[in-house]
Amino acid sequence: MDFSSINPVTLIAMLMVAATPILLAAIGELVVEKAGVLNLGVEGMMITGAVSGFAVAVNTGSPLFGMLAAILAGAAVSFIFAVLTQILMANQVASGLALTLFGLGFSALMGQSYTGIVPPRTPKLDFGPLSDLPVVGRIIFGHDILVYVSILLVAAVWYWLNYTRSGRILRAVGENHDSAHALGYQVKKVRILAIMFGGACAGLGGAYLSLVRVPQWTEGMTAGAGWIALALVVFASWKPWRALLGAYLFGGITVLQLNLQAAGVRIPAEYLAMSPYIITILVLVVMSSNRGRRSLSAPGSLGRSFHAAG
Amino acid sequence: MKPPLLSIKGLTKVYPGVVANSEVTFDIGDGEVHALLGENGAGKSTLVKAIYGLITPNEGVMEWRGVPYAPTAPSEARATGVAMVFQHFSLFDAMDVAENVALGMDNPPPIRELAAKITEVSHNYGLPLDPSRMVGDLSAGERQRVEIIRCLLQNPQLLIMDEPTSVLTPQEVEILFRTLRQLRSEGKSILYISHKLEEIRSLCENATVLRLGKVVGRADPREESARSLAEMMVGQSLHTPSRAPAQPGKLLLEVTDLSVTSPSAFGTSLRDVTFAVRAGEVLGIGGVAGNGQDELLGALSGELRTAPDAIRMAGDPVGATGPTARRALGLLCAPEERLGHAAAPDMSLTENALLTGAYREKLVRNGFIGWSKARDFAEKIILRFDVRTPGAHVAARALSGGNLQKFVIGREIMQRPSVLIVNQPTWGVDASAAAAIRQALLDLAQAGAAVVVISQDLDELMEVADNFAALNGGRLSAPRPVQGLTMDQIGLMLGGAEGGETDAAA
């Protein structure tokens, strides 16, 4: 074994890149769940975003247009989910799973002619001499724009949820939709908007995979990132900053696993690949007791359909 | 003449198949406390929802100080000066008091200013409240304060209160009434909905009585007796449950040092609960909601297991046996939550009858259901307890709360229990049906069963129980004979001060 081949600075810089797609998807899903909706279709929305972003970026030559397209595509598929669950009152779990399966199939179909193409490069932000600083240069000033966007998004969502009126209304809708309705808030409207925000974030996360992280298009390339994002929301107990922490932790595990393999550690890679899920299962076990559920502050109306009575 | 504050003229609201309100007309003046009386399903809630802008009436007009008033959303009603305290609180457990108040306002100030205002207003009206506490941790009385403060901060002219006292202790009711009288002296009007007639008589100067959606009477409650008001509500003379003096028989249920940890986060664990019930005796257990009632029912029904010796039935330890085994021994239960606990909402009445009656009524043979027997059993319950339903094939969900309650209680009584535990037996049931249920409980005791009635309705307990004990924070006071017990003593028992000890000291 030779750990000296693992450079901590490179490791941290790499884990930030590895974590960004799941962080984007998770912060979107966090808002959706805070509104009381459980959308299990994150994987489907991510991969739809990945293929749309890739296709538009290749055809226009602009990664920025690609990302915009991914945002729109993610929001559009999530709108299907919103119509199904909020207007037609379909079961959220079944609709979410359907969305994932639909997204995987649809993206495979759309992406057939894009396999093997190299997308236009997304440039790193230019901080001038700052990027050449030792250690911090790589970690803080050495990334592309989306890494910063994702962190800013976490800050914005945290501030919005806790310190603005509309954020408070969204939390109220997720906490007790009957009370929110009685006070005159439009539960369905709030939830539909939240679902579409979640879709947009997941789409962007998907595009980050196909345009920056990999970067190319292969069928099923999200490979469970959407599920990790879902697990992450629970792991973070619906708190934005913890989602950031969790994403970097899970991202770190992914990167570390590659590095450990390179260093010749004899732990089968599958164990490390399993670890985010094992952690999440443990969190879910704690959560399944009512006491734990409350201390983790799960939204009170999570996953329940809202029928206005009277 | 000055027009009244709010004038309702010919208001009609029709739901598919039901006329909730028909030609309702009445006025509320400035500084008036107006009672809206009626049984469940009389259309009181629909009416106030229309005033608060939650629903739009089909016909009729409302006028606010002579100007047409037709709110399409609660925010419009609030802007006009109408505020409402809901029967089922519209609160958010995981948010603090200040946030909850802010959510009920249209233009809330920043949280810090609001918190200061909450502290100030809550003290002015004698309802102290800490704005930074989580609502999930508050008692029912404190939660109601949050609702009231939320309304008062908007400086309303008309305050609507829907069954405000159903979850309060007598002492808390006193505090509330003081606040309401203070509001009236400031010239504000209150529309007060309740079925507790004594309260209405002490608080209101005008009453409108609704029955089946129509106004059937107007009265000055101070001039009427509680009985005459009740008869106006029901439209027939009321039957007061009666019984012969109890002959205490042998010990049927003994509970000794029962301690149970609550399975739910907002629940209350039971601590050293001890009581005994004899054949022919009705034990009433009072207490404000959330003091361990659900846990006590769970422990007695067998849903929560305890040490075998903690619960004995006619001498046999049953603390560790499950509900089915206890039913076989004759211990039956009717829990409070009708839909989801006492009955499966989407199953028919026949299936629901089968759920608890399978063993004692021999409705299942060799693992196969005897459907015709089950149907007969359900139809017997429907007939005997006057359950209003098209038939036994109807889903439990489709019944009104009161009718389902009659079915659920009837189902247990029909199985001839030797010990019956009921939690909130007449919750949401209209006055005549409530009287019928209470009479059935008394008849059961008369026939030699031991009955435990857990209820938050003190009047009910005074009416049916031989002995009274109070649950407070999971502890049960020593049972005392109901005869000679005053409301003050009961209030102390509910508050956790042992009535017995003060007597011994006196």
Side-chain angles (χ1 to χ4, degrees), chain B residues 201-491:
Chain B
R201 292 186 55 226
S202 79
L203 191 70
C204 309
E205 55 253 44
N206 265 310
T208 298
V209 185
L210 287 180
R211 187 163 72 233
L212 301 174
K214 292 195 177 81
V215 176
V216 292
R218 291 168 216 283
D220 181 343
R222 290 165 301 185
E223 318 262 294
E224 302 280 335
S225 71
R227 194 181 178 86
S228 64
L229 285 173
E231 288 178 356
M232 225 190 267
M233 239 161 74
V234 184
Q236 62 192 42
S237 55
L238 263 187
H239 167 78
T240 313
S242 61
R243 60 173 150 173
Q247 290 292 333
K250 64 173 177 140
L251 218 47
L252 282 183
L253 179 69
E254 268 177 289
V255 176
T256 320
D257 292 335
L258 172 70
S259 296
V260 179
T261 310
S262 173
S264 109
F266 290 108
T268 308
S269 300
L270 296 178
R271 278 176 282 174
D272 302 328
V273 169
T274 299
F275 66 88
V277 197
R278 294 176 174 279
E281 180 189 339
V282 180
L283 173 68
I285 295 183
V288 178
N291 271 298
Q293 284 92 338
D294 294 340
E295 290 75 11
L296 181 59
L297 184 111
L300 292 173
S301 73
E303 289 161 74
L304 303 174
R305 307 289 164 83
T306 60
D309 285 338
I311 302 171
R312 285 171 175 277
M313 254 202 79
D316 298 329
V318 296
T321 54
T324 311
R326 293 194 201 187
R327 270 189 207 124
L329 287 168
L331 191 159
L332 304 184
C333 287
E336 171 186 7
E337 182 68 36
R338 291 182 282 251
L339 287 174
H341 195 181
D346 291 320
M347 288 180 137
S348 72
L349 293 181
T350 306
E351 287 167 309
N352 272 297
L354 181 79
L355 285 179
T356 75
Y359 184 90
R360 287 181 78 81
E361 296 297 312
K362 300 191 175 57
L363 305 177
V364 173
R365 272 261 153 102
N366 305 324
F368 290 96
I369 296 169
W371 281 114
S372 58
K373 273 184 161 182
R375 200 174 311 113
D376 287 347
F377 178 52
E379 278 163 2
K380 266 196 276 177
I381 303 167
I382 292 169
L383 194 70
R384 157 116 191 259
F385 286 86
D386 187 28
V387 181
R388 314 257 164 90
T389 165
H393 61 277
V394 173
R397 186 191 290 288
L399 267 65
S400 75
N403 271 316
L404 186 58
Q405 184 69 22
K406 286 194 270 186
F407 183 82
V408 167
I409 299 271
R411 177 180 68 185
E412 307 307 324
I413 290 180
M414 293 286 278
Q415 294 177 48
R416 303 167 311 277
S418 55
V419 178
L420 179 66
I421 322 285
V422 289
N423 190 2
Q424 296 277 53
T426 59
W427 182 252
V429 177
D430 62 45
S432 52
I437 288 176
R438 289 174 195 152
Q439 184 65 58
L441 292 174
L442 288 173
D443 291 346
L444 187 71
Q446 189 86 54
V451 180
V452 177
V453 180
I454 305 171
S455 177
Q456 287 158 48
D457 184 344
L458 292 174
D459 297 333
E460 167 168 280
L461 293 177
M462 293 305 102
E463 201 170 291
V464 298
D466 300 300
N467 292 305
F468 175 83
L471 259 182
N472 181 283
R475 294 181 191 279
L476 189 75
S477 70
R480 302 177 67 187
V482 163
Q483 255 175 356
L485 217 51
T486 65
M487 268 301 171
D488 277 345
Q489 285 170 317
I490 292 173

Side-chain angles (χ1 to χ4, degrees), chain B residues 26-107:
Chain B
F26 67 93
D27 292 343
I28 303 168
D30 280 298
E32 176 183 333
V33 184
H34 193 109
L36 199 54
L37 270 171
E39 297 198 299
N40 285 81
K44 295 168 299 186
S45 294
T46 310
L47 185 61
V48 293
K49 276 184 190 162
I51 300 174
Y52 195 56
L54 277 170
I55 57 169
T56 315
N58 299 94
E59 274 172 52
V61 290
M62 292 186 275
E63 284 176 7
W64 183 266
R65 296 196 195 286
V67 182
Y69 165 71
T72 53
S75 55
E76 264 178 64
R78 289 195 288 255
T80 311
V82 179
M84 178 155 166
V85 176
F86 292 91
Q87 179 181 10
H88 303 291
F89 300 145
S90 51
L91 296 177
F92 306 94
D93 282 350
M95 300 171 111
D96 67 24
V97 169
E99 282 191 302
N100 267 281
V101 170
L103 280 163
M105 300 172 77
D106 291 311
N107 293 303

Side-chain angles (χ1 to χ4, degrees), chain A residues 161-162 165 167-169 171-173 175-185 290-291 294 297-298 309-310, chain B residues 15 52 54-55 74 78 86 89-95 99 102-103 105-106 108 111 137 150 262-263 265-266:
Chain A
L161 280 176
N162 289 299
R165 178 164 161 75
R168 193 188 296 140
I169 292 172
R171 281 189 293 136
V173 164
E175 176 62 26
N176 185 338
H177 50 216
D178 294 318
S179 292
H181 175 70
L183 290 175
Y185 295 115
N290 271 315
R291 247 171 249 282
R294 194 183 161 210
S297 66
Chain B
Y15 286 116
Y52 195 56
L54 277 170
I55 57 169
R78 289 195 288 255
F86 292 91
F89 300 145
S90 51
L91 296 177
F92 306 94
D93 282 350
M95 300 171 111
E99 282 191 302
L103 280 163
M105 300 172 77
D106 291 311
I111 285 287
D137 298 330
R150 188 196 258 170
S262 173
F266 290 108

Side-chain angles (χ1 to χ4, degrees), chain A residues 270-284:
Chain A
E270 286 77 6
Y271 283 107
L272 281 164
M274 270 189 257
S275 53
Y277 299 100
I278 293 176
I279 295 174
T280 304
I281 289 170
L282 290 177
V283 173
L284 282 170

Side-chain angles (χ1 to χ4, degrees), chain B residues 81-163:
Chain B
V82 179
M84 178 155 166
V85 176
F86 292 91
Q87 179 181 10
H88 303 291
F89 300 145
S90 51
L91 296 177
F92 306 94
D93 282 350
M95 300 171 111
D96 67 24
V97 169
E99 282 191 302
N100 267 281
V101 170
L103 280 163
M105 300 172 77
D106 291 311
N107 293 303
I111 285 287
R112 213 167 295 165
E113 275 173 48
L114 185 65
K117 246 174 151 179
I118 291 170
T119 314
E120 183 198 321
V121 171
S122 67
H123 277 99
N124 287 348
Y125 285 96
L127 304 167
L129 207 55
D130 176 357
S132 62
R133 282 185 66 191
M134 281 287 163
V135 164
D137 298 330
L138 300 181
S139 74
E142 289 171 315
R143 290 163 151 253
Q144 188 182 51
R145 284 180 198 176
V146 180
E147 290 264 1
I148 296 174
I149 298 292
R150 188 196 258 170
C151 291
L152 294 182
L153 279 175
Q154 308 181 54
N155 206 14
Q157 196 48 50
L158 174 66
L159 182 63
I160 304 174
M161 303 204 78
D162 193 354
E163 302 270 1

